[in-house]
Amino acid sequence: MELLHGPIRDYAWGSRSAIAALQGRPVPSDGPEAELWLGAHPGAPASIERAGARVSLTDVLAAEPEVWLGDRAVNRFGPRLPFLLKVLAADAALSLQAHPDAKQARAGHAADLARPAGERNYVDPYPKPELLVALSDFEALCGFRDPAASAAALAAFGVPALQPVVAALRSGTAGLRTAVRTLLTWPQQERAGLVAAVVAAPADGPDAALARELAASYPADPGVLVALLLNHVRLEPGEAIWMPAGNLHAYLRGTGVEIMAASDNVLRGGLTPKRVDVDELLRVLRFEVLDEPVSAAHRVSPGVDCWPVPVDDFALHRVTVGTEVPAAELTVAGPRVVLCASGSVTVDDGSGALTLASGQAAIGGASGGPVRISGSGEAYVASSGLH
């Protein structure tokens, strides 16, 4: 295993304490720290040390794809790391967004090559399913809730202009597309007035509180109302949310470990100053109710948990070692990235042991054996989902 140095992305919604505290650095940090990237995505690749210098993991994998990735992963995904592991730390809401499936990504990317750069939605030909596991209490919007509940929430504001949206939602899932389209295509000059009317309404409860919170940052964004059509979930540490293709979602606040297919394809639906392509978003969205957005961990063996997902781009395991379980061994396929999330752990896949402190990460190649983790702490192991 080799020490992996991950860059930190400084998006404005990031925390000034979470990642710094995880890595044992002074708090608050100099600026917002939103995401720690632990992968080979060309947007911000991690690095390893070679001859006293740091070398981009992207370049290392390109030079020796079979050694690091293995034949099976190269045959399935090409000569690239198929997943990206992150620590995400949100102090403010991220944009409402969804991601394409594999077929949509390929077709969209091919079509976008003929379009001006400012009109492109697909920056690569890959899907981007995601799994987030909470490290702290975490709030998010994930998937459509029962349209009847959404209709009641919007009706409670008593805003006459919203009646067509309420009527569409009362027709059930068949009306979800109409409701979302109506809100996202609201006349530009009337949006601020609509959001202001909702905020000023005497309605009370979680939906009203969420609308007011979002409107404080986005006072003329109809995404404030689209957010009320989604499940508002609160995760405890160790709980997860799975976001497959077509799932409309947004993170609100908290710290978590996120793993995804290595892609940058994002279709936004609001709560953002960035471009929103309504037609393309509606084409990708799955207008179905997500009844159970929160997933609990599944125990695999003593000290080892996972959150099964129906894709082979990635798998994520959590290993907890200490007095009760001094060491645990995990067999994973292909390349593996290990993040120490607390305490101190020693990782060894037969290629050399490495001790990690909180916030440090390591990478091992496909030729390594089972990953053995010992010490006292918590680690997350990312790998491909190939079996």
Side-chain angles (χ1 to χ4, degrees):
M1 303 289 290
E2 297 196 42
L3 193 63
L4 186 65
H5 303 277
I8 295 175
R9 311 307 300 268
D10 59 353
Y11 308 134
W13 48 262
S15 167
R16 295 186 64 189
S17 61
I19 295 178
L22 177 72
Q23 296 184 326
R25 294 185 283 109
V27 173
S29 56
D30 292 337
E33 297 181 336
E35 295 179 343
L36 170 65
W37 283 30
L38 299 168
H41 192 283
S47 60
I48 60 177
E49 295 184 5
R50 287 287 185 271
R54 292 188 182 182
V55 180
S56 165
L57 185 59
T58 304
D59 294 339
V60 172
L61 299 185
E64 300 178 304
E66 288 81 11
V67 172
W68 285 95
L69 304 173
D71 291 339
R72 290 184 63 208
V74 171
N75 290 337
R76 170 66 180 85
F77 304 108
R80 64 188 188 96
L81 190 66
F83 59 84
L84 173 60
L85 183 68
K86 298 180 181 180
V87 176
L88 182 145
D91 263 2
L94 283 66
S95 62
L96 284 169
Q97 58 189 267
H99 310 296
D101 62 25
K103 182 178 180 181
Q104 291 166 337
R106 287 193 300 270
H109 181 62
D112 272 1
L113 294 177
R115 298 189 177 106
E119 298 178 10
R120 295 175 184 173
N121 295 306
Y122 299 94
V123 298
D124 58 58
Y126 307 116
K128 193 186 179 188
E130 301 175 347
L131 175 77
L132 181 134
V133 179
L135 289 177
S136 70
D137 291 343
F138 198 97
E139 282 188 62
L141 304 170
C142 186
F144 290 109
R145 63 175 173 174
D146 183 346
S150 299
L154 295 188
F157 292 112
V159 177
L162 286 175
Q163 285 308 307
V165 180
V166 173
L169 292 170
R170 284 175 174 162
S171 69
T173 54
L176 273 173
R177 179 184 294 272
T178 298
V180 174
R181 176 179 284 281
T182 300
L183 290 171
L184 292 184
T185 58
W186 207 271
Q188 192 76 33
Q189 67 275 14
E190 299 176 11
R191 292 181 175 185
L194 176 66
V195 175
V198 168
V199 171
D204 199 4
D207 291 302
L210 177 61
R212 289 165 187 151
E213 175 188 341
L214 297 177
S217 299
Y218 299 99
D221 192 329
V224 170
L225 300 179
V226 175
L228 303 183
L229 311 186
L230 306 180
N231 293 297
H232 185 185
V233 300
R234 293 173 174 83
L235 307 178
E236 296 181 357
E239 292 184 319
I241 44 177
W242 157 241
M243 288 146 289
N247 176 304
L248 191 61
H249 63 277
Y251 301 138
L252 301 180
R253 63 178 57 82
T255 305
V257 172
E258 187 181 28
I259 187 169
M260 62 188 65
S263 168
D264 250 352
N265 286 324
V266 178
L267 294 161
R268 294 177 176 85
L271 307 183
T272 178
K274 296 182 179 180
R275 177 172 173 267
V276 175
D277 186 331
V278 176
D279 289 336
E280 189 63 18
L281 176 67
L282 293 175
R283 193 178 73 83
V284 165
L285 285 182
R286 294 181 179 176
F287 291 98
E288 55 194 29
V289 174
L290 181 61
D291 290 319
E292 295 292 340
V294 179
S295 301
H298 292 240
R299 178 53 52 95
V300 175
S301 60
V304 181
D305 300 302
C306 73
W307 299 264
V309 293
V311 296
D312 59 7
D313 304 80
F314 59 79
L316 184 67
H317 292 82
R318 178 182 63 194
V319 179
T320 306
V321 290
T323 303
E324 294 185 7
V325 182
E329 192 170 274
L330 178 63
T331 299
V332 294
R336 64 286 310 265
V337 173
V338 181
L339 165 70
C340 179
S342 67
S344 174
V345 299
T346 298
V347 295
D348 188 1
D349 65 356
S351 63
L354 185 64
T355 297
L356 303 175
S358 178
Q360 290 187 313
I363 185 168
S367 60
V371 179
R372 186 177 189 275
I373 298 179
S374 58
S376 179
E378 182 178 87
Y380 286 82
V381 181
S383 65
S384 81
L386 296 172
H387 298 292

